[in-house]
Amino acid sequence: MQTIRQRPKKDERSGPERTCVGCGSRDDAPSMVRLVVADDEVVFDLAGGGFGRGAHVHPRPECIAGAPRGLSRAMKREVKIGTKELGERLLAACDRRLAGLLLAARRTKALAIGADAALEAIRRGAPLAIVAVDAATVAQTLEVTGAIAEGRAVAWKTKAELGQLLGETAVALCAIRHAGIAGELQGLRMAADAAAVTTREGVECSRRPEAR
């Protein structure tokens, strides 16, 4: 499981370093996302272990924008992909990975589903709340506003979409109890936001949702 996280301080780094094909700077691999070029296709390998020649890029708009040219230099041949298409592919990859992690959390009983269960989990210190983008009422609860203020909440999908994913009619709120899964979900939300900027479509929902 690859975890995308914020860049650590110099004395806190561990593990391999990679060069970002967007900005050209070196950084620790977990703070970037991995791309794979195979059969002239560019795909994001967010789960790790994908086959093909790999490269890394910071999940930041400016790095994603510079990645197509950097990929061609890294691969020593022309890689035909534009910034907008690359952003769209990262958005889609993040969406698939977010869904997969949420289902993994449910399978391991690390997911509290529904307002009552999720609010109780948040009160007990769950590291992350997932708030549906159209869940105006639950977003105004004391628990959720507190989680937002502490950086422990992300907005993703509508109530109907979350419900369909989790086998419910509608889900306005769920909470992740597993710290590792919560950390990766937050990193993926940040990467998706950066990708959305490069598509010039704007960011539908912020990493830290505001109560409405």
Side-chain angles (χ1 to χ4, degrees), residues 114-135:
D116 291 341
L119 290 172
E120 178 62 23
I122 294 169
R123 286 192 290 268
R124 291 177 176 272
L128 186 67
I130 307 292
V131 188
V133 296
D134 55 348

Side-chain angles (χ1 to χ4, degrees), residues 21-61:
V21 293
C23 67
S25 65
R26 290 187 66 79
D27 207 343
D28 63 321
S31 68
M32 295 186 270
V33 293
R34 184 172 184 259
L35 306 102
V36 172
V37 180
D39 298 326
D40 293 325
E41 281 291 316
V42 179
V43 297
F44 283 91
D45 180 28
L46 301 184
F51 294 102
R53 188 171 180 185
H56 288 74
V57 62
H58 288 112
R60 300 193 292 247

Side-chain angles (χ1 to χ4, degrees), residues 53 61 100 186 190:
R53 188 171 180 185
Q186 286 177 304
M190 291 175 64

